[in-house]
Structures are given as structure tokens and as C-alpha cells.
Amino acid sequence: MDPDIEIMIFTPHSKPISRNNTSVETSKEFNRILLTSDMEKVVQMYWQERIQANPRLFNGTKFRLHSVLHSKEAVTLNLGITCYKDYLGTNWGPNAKVLLKQGVELHNNSQSFMSDALGVGSLVVTADSYVILLRRSLDLAEASGLWDVPGGHAEPEMLVGKRAACDIEPESLNPSAVVDEIFDSVLREIRDEVNIPIEKLSDPSIMGIARNTQSAGRPSMEFMVRCNLTSSEIIQLYSKGDHKEADESTSIKMLSLGDVKTLQDATIWKELAPSAKGCIYLYQKVFS
């Protein structure tokens, strides 16, 4: 196992989990535990430093993954609410290692104080059996310059509008709508990052969840998505540069599905973002 990732769950062999077999429980009990006032001030100060360095950052709300219930055919996600400020200030903050240690000591859970904003990523398989990698822009807050799979976050904002995380009651959210937002966010990210129309994509299916040890165990749900376009058609669409998140990547690469099965042995593995490593490892685990 690559030290950049830890696997939380993976689905049974060749049977990724569909939207219909995914459920959520939402509760404020699944939010991160607040720190002392002094340490919360550090989170705020770190955020101010980051936005001064990169004014493009904005503090959107995210779902926080607390825990997972998993069977052979279904998965239930226990979700709270967090935000990007808290994510950068805890999972990427200067006190991240201290917070992990205190989580264990005080709550028997290393992630208790962590934002753990739930990421989504996808292995997009083309009609001619290639998968998509994108070179992340140097302007991005994490994994800048590395190759990654298309991905991002599900957005509570899509359900409740622009509201601060502290103003969102997780119990008020419609569970089915949350599930749809998670799955729909995968398709939006592919459309916005690669320029593939959503109607050219299959509905996502879950391969598993991986933690990024470089960001203090931040979880990312990894999906399989099939596309009915060829690799050359996708490169042409991407090259137009007129898609919503064109500035988040600088180039595209196609890898054959056969090469993906043994990618740890390739030179490019060291250039992959942890989220891409988790996605590819889960594909190998589920489909090998």
C-alpha cells in the first residue's frame, strides 16, 4: 500500500455500488468537534494566510464524512456539515498532527477534530478503454502540479443555497437529495473539468473510499464512470478550453485500462495526487 493513502472500504469484486443502494444519515453529531478557542483562532488565521496567498479560494460548505456502514451490496454514509476554511485549517493546518493525536487521546478517534470534507473522484473509462488524468494547476490549494482523476466535492449549497456551515442543520436535509447531490457532483466535476457532456456519461458507481494521509486522513469516495466517447474525442473537447473549470488543470493524459492495472510500477505513479492513487488502487482492488 502506498503511504499516501489508506483504504476505508472497497466494494465486492466487480460489483461497485449504485446510487439506488447508497443511503445517508445526517446529524450534527457527525460534525467535527470544536477545538479550544485558541486553536480555533489558529484555524481562522491559517485561512486568512491562505486567501491572502491565493485570493481565488472561497469558503464553500462541504459534507463531512464521520463514518460508514458497509455491506456487500449497499453503503450508508454518516454525514455532518463542514466548510473549506475548516478543511484547510484542520486537515491541512499547521497543527494537524497535534489534532490527530488529541483526537485519539480525548475521543479515541484521530479524526474527531478534523473537517474531513468528503471528496469525490472518478475513474472515467472511455469507449476505447482509456482512463483520464488531469495535470492540476499550480494555483490550486492542494496537490498542485500533480496528475489527478476528475473530482471535487459534493456541495450542500446545491440543497440549501449559500449559507454558512454553522447555519445548516444536517437533520433538516433530505437524505435522498444528499445521495443525489453526491452522485450528481461526480458528473458535474467531469463535465466542468474535462468538458464532457453529462449525457455522454454513465451514472457513477462506488468503488470505495480512501483516506489521504497527506491531508491528515481526509476521505474521498471513488467512483467508476463510463463514457461513450473515445479518448481522442475527449482530448478534442478538453482542448477547446471553454469549460467551467478549465483553469484548474493544465493538460490531459490518457492511460490504457491495461496499464492502470499495474500503474504502481510506472514512473508516473510518483507524480499522482493521493486522490488519484486511491482511485486507481480501488479500481485494481475491485476489478483485478
Side-chain angles (χ1 to χ4, degrees):
M1 174 71 69
D2 189 286
D4 286 348
I5 55 174
E6 295 175 351
I7 302 302
M8 288 183 66
I9 66 164
F10 61 91
T11 59
H13 181 64
S14 299
K15 293 183 178 180
I17 293 173
S18 70
R19 185 188 298 245
N20 291 337
N21 289 330
T22 303
S23 60
V24 302
E25 294 286 342
T26 54
S27 171
K28 62 184 178 183
E29 299 300 320
F30 300 144
N31 290 352
R32 75 177 180 94
I33 297 174
L34 293 179
L35 305 163
T36 63
S37 59
D38 286 345
M39 295 192 78
E40 287 293 334
K41 288 179 182 178
V42 172
V43 172
Q44 182 64 36
M45 289 173 58
Y46 188 66
W47 172 250
Q48 292 301 323
E49 291 175 3
R50 294 299 292 263
I51 60 175
Q52 286 177 10
N54 184 359
R56 296 178 58 204
L57 298 179
F58 64 96
N59 188 25
T61 53
K62 313 296 176 188
F63 293 103
R64 179 183 189 265
L65 182 65
H66 175 275
S67 51
V68 184
L69 301 176
H70 176 225
S71 67
K72 289 183 178 180
E73 297 180 352
V75 64
T76 298
L77 309 174
N78 294 325
L79 300 176
I81 298 294
T82 187
C83 63
Y84 198 58
K85 171 179 71 70
D86 288 358
Y87 169 56
L88 289 183
T90 58
N91 288 82
W92 281 103
N95 294 326
K97 291 183 179 179
V98 173
L99 299 185
L100 291 172
K101 182 179 179 181
Q102 289 186 350
V104 173
E105 293 173 348
L106 299 177
H107 302 285
N108 199 32
N109 180 353
S110 63
Q111 306 306 122
S112 295
F113 298 115
M114 294 299 175
S115 164
D116 277 1
L118 177 63
V120 297
S122 57
L123 193 82
V124 182
V125 181
T126 69
D128 51 347
S129 297
Y130 282 80
V131 302
I132 299 170
L133 290 180
L134 300 173
R135 175 79 81 174
R136 291 173 63 85
S137 167
L138 294 175
D139 293 329
L140 297 180
E142 57 182 298
S144 57
L146 298 179
W147 290 103
D148 204 357
V149 295
H153 303 86
E155 306 286 351
E157 177 183 317
M158 300 296 290
L159 306 180
V160 300
K162 291 184 179 295
R163 296 167 59 184
C166 61
D167 293 332
I168 299 175
E169 292 289 338
E171 293 87 351
S172 69
L173 300 176
N174 182 309
S176 295
V178 175
V179 170
D180 284 339
E181 167 54 19
I182 292 171
F183 277 74
D184 292 346
S185 72
V186 178
L187 299 175
R188 287 199 310 269
E189 294 291 350
I190 298 170
R191 177 197 64 195
D192 294 346
E193 293 184 0
V194 191
N195 209 22
I196 300 174
I198 287 179
E199 60 268 22
K200 300 295 184 180
L201 302 169
S202 72
D203 202 49
S205 52
I206 301 169
M207 297 188 295
I209 302 174
R211 287 194 182 275
N212 178 350
T213 63
Q214 294 297 309
S215 56
R218 179 272 187 93
S220 182
M221 180 170 284
E222 305 298 345
F223 295 80
M224 161 77 80
V225 176
R226 296 191 179 276
C227 177
N228 62 14
L229 299 175
T230 65
S231 55
S232 59
E233 289 173 325
I234 291 170
I235 290 172
Q236 290 177 2
L237 287 171
Y238 176 85
S239 298
K240 290 181 179 180
D242 58 356
H243 42 296
K244 184 176 180 180
E245 297 180 1
D247 59 345
E248 291 194 0
S249 65
T250 58
S251 56
I252 189 170
K253 180 188 290 289
M254 295 290 179
L255 296 177
S256 75
L257 203 55
D259 288 342
V260 169
K261 293 181 178 179
T262 58
L263 201 60
Q264 285 95 325
D265 299 328
T267 302
I268 193 175
W269 183 260
K270 295 180 180 179
E271 298 182 57
L272 295 182
S275 50
K277 291 179 179 179
C279 186
I280 289 167
Y281 183 86
L282 284 166
Y283 168 77
Q284 294 169 344
K285 192 78 172 174
V286 174
F287 290 96
S288 61

